[in-house]
Amino acid sequence: MSTATSSAISVMRHHRSIRKFTEQALTDDQRSAILASAQAAPSSSFLQASTVIRISSAELREQVMALCGNQAYVGSAAEFWVFCADFHRHLQWVPEAKTGFAEQLLIGAIDTALMGQNALTAAESLGLGGVFIGAVRNQPHALSDLLQLPKGVIPLFGLCMGHPAQDPEPKPRLPANLVLCENHYPAKFDEAHMQAYDEQVRHYYRTRTGGKKEMSWTGQIGDTLAKEARPFMLEFLQQQGFCIR
């Protein structure tokens, strides 16, 4: 394995979500490198259906943070970028383009997610840290008004980036034999492997919180999927011109 390949794999395998940052700013060169890396991500049919909005105004950042559940790191990170699926730009130059199809939502979401992951991996390779913010979808109507997003654009997630002021352990992932299937989907996943993973996650939370949190992975799933999340989302997507056919 080459040194370059080993280094890239090491960066990805040691990802941690960073929520505490120093006050040190990113340089222009760092921002440019991160954006260039994000844009190098694959794009379905070369549509490049994504737009990134960098929130550089302190006042606007405060307003965005409020819409994201007042998560402090949205305000304290050196950089906060909002990643959007975007078909408005296509219509600007090709007004006769047919949009609004469900498949285009998938294209925009996948393209944008790939960009976001490239951006975070690039940041981490520079010694920076970050965390994705799904809470930009908590109040999408208000956020879209605040960022002046036209029809054909939807905010998918935010990304905090900066110099880490903490060093958390990586969160344990599902074992490979519960993720990688050979040739077909299994009739049932292995119960013993799942139980072992549940205990691994319990130990992680127990250690991370000093015994204040006892939660297995399946327990967390039960809590998260006990009710519909963001029930207003379909209406918002359709208002923005997505999933209307």
Side-chain angles (χ1 to χ4, degrees):
M1 182 181 293
S2 71
T3 302
T5 302
S6 176
S7 176
I9 290 175
S10 178
V11 168
M12 289 184 279
R13 292 191 64 178
H14 288 86
H15 161 72
R16 299 88 41 81
S17 291
I18 299 297
R19 295 178 172 85
K20 292 182 180 179
F21 302 92
T22 71
E23 295 182 358
Q24 185 177 353
L26 270 64
T27 66
D28 290 342
D29 285 346
Q30 286 173 325
R31 277 195 300 271
S32 295
I34 291 168
L35 181 59
S37 298
Q39 288 192 270
S43 174
S44 180
S45 300
F46 200 44
L47 288 173
Q48 302 184 80
S50 307
T51 290
V52 182
I53 299 178
R54 178 186 178 226
I55 309 299
S56 57
S57 160
E59 180 182 357
L60 184 60
R61 182 88 75 94
E62 286 290 324
Q63 293 173 298
V64 171
M65 184 175 70
L67 295 177
C68 293
N70 283 309
Q71 297 179 76
Y73 31 93
V74 173
S76 63
E79 296 284 326
F80 185 68
W81 296 5
V82 179
F83 285 75
C84 305
D86 181 2
F87 280 92
H88 178 81
R89 185 169 51 227
H90 303 77
L91 290 170
Q92 180 177 335
W93 285 303
V94 187
E96 67 275 16
K98 305 299 182 186
T99 61
F101 297 100
E103 170 65 8
Q104 290 168 348
L105 173 62
L106 294 177
I107 289 172
I110 293 168
D111 274 17
T112 306
L114 292 172
M115 279 188 70
Q117 184 57 50
N118 266 25
L120 181 55
T121 300
E124 290 173 337
S125 76
L126 296 172
L128 304 169
V131 62
F132 287 113
I133 306 296
V136 299
R137 303 189 303 278
N138 282 0
Q139 300 185 60
H141 298 85
L143 184 65
S144 295
D145 288 344
L146 193 62
L147 302 184
Q148 300 177 24
L149 303 184
K151 191 171 182 178
V153 182
I154 51 173
L156 294 176
F157 54 87
L159 176 58
C160 297
M161 293 181 289
H163 293 266
Q166 61 177 169
D167 187 24
E169 293 181 54
K171 187 175 289 186
R173 289 332 198 232
L174 282 164
N177 52 25
L178 292 180
V179 175
L180 179 64
C181 305
E182 194 77 22
N183 296 320
H184 58 79
Y185 198 88
K188 187 176 182 181
F189 285 104
D190 187 279
E191 191 71 27
H193 285 127
M194 180 55 72
Q195 290 175 359
Y197 179 62
D198 265 347
E199 183 51 42
Q200 185 184 10
V201 172
R202 282 193 195 93
H203 176 75
Y204 167 81
Y205 281 128
R206 194 182 302 128
T207 302
R208 180 173 176 174
T209 65
K212 295 179 181 179
K213 182 175 180 178
E214 284 275 345
M215 177 69 76
S216 68
W217 186 70
T218 53
Q220 189 167 329
I221 290 173
D223 286 351
T224 303
L225 302 183
K227 60 181 180 180
E228 181 184 6
R230 303 183 178 108
F232 46 77
M233 191 54 65
L234 180 59
E235 178 271 329
F236 170 71
L237 292 173
Q238 292 174 336
Q239 171 190 297
Q240 291 300 100
F242 288 79
C243 290
I244 58 176
R245 45 188 167 181

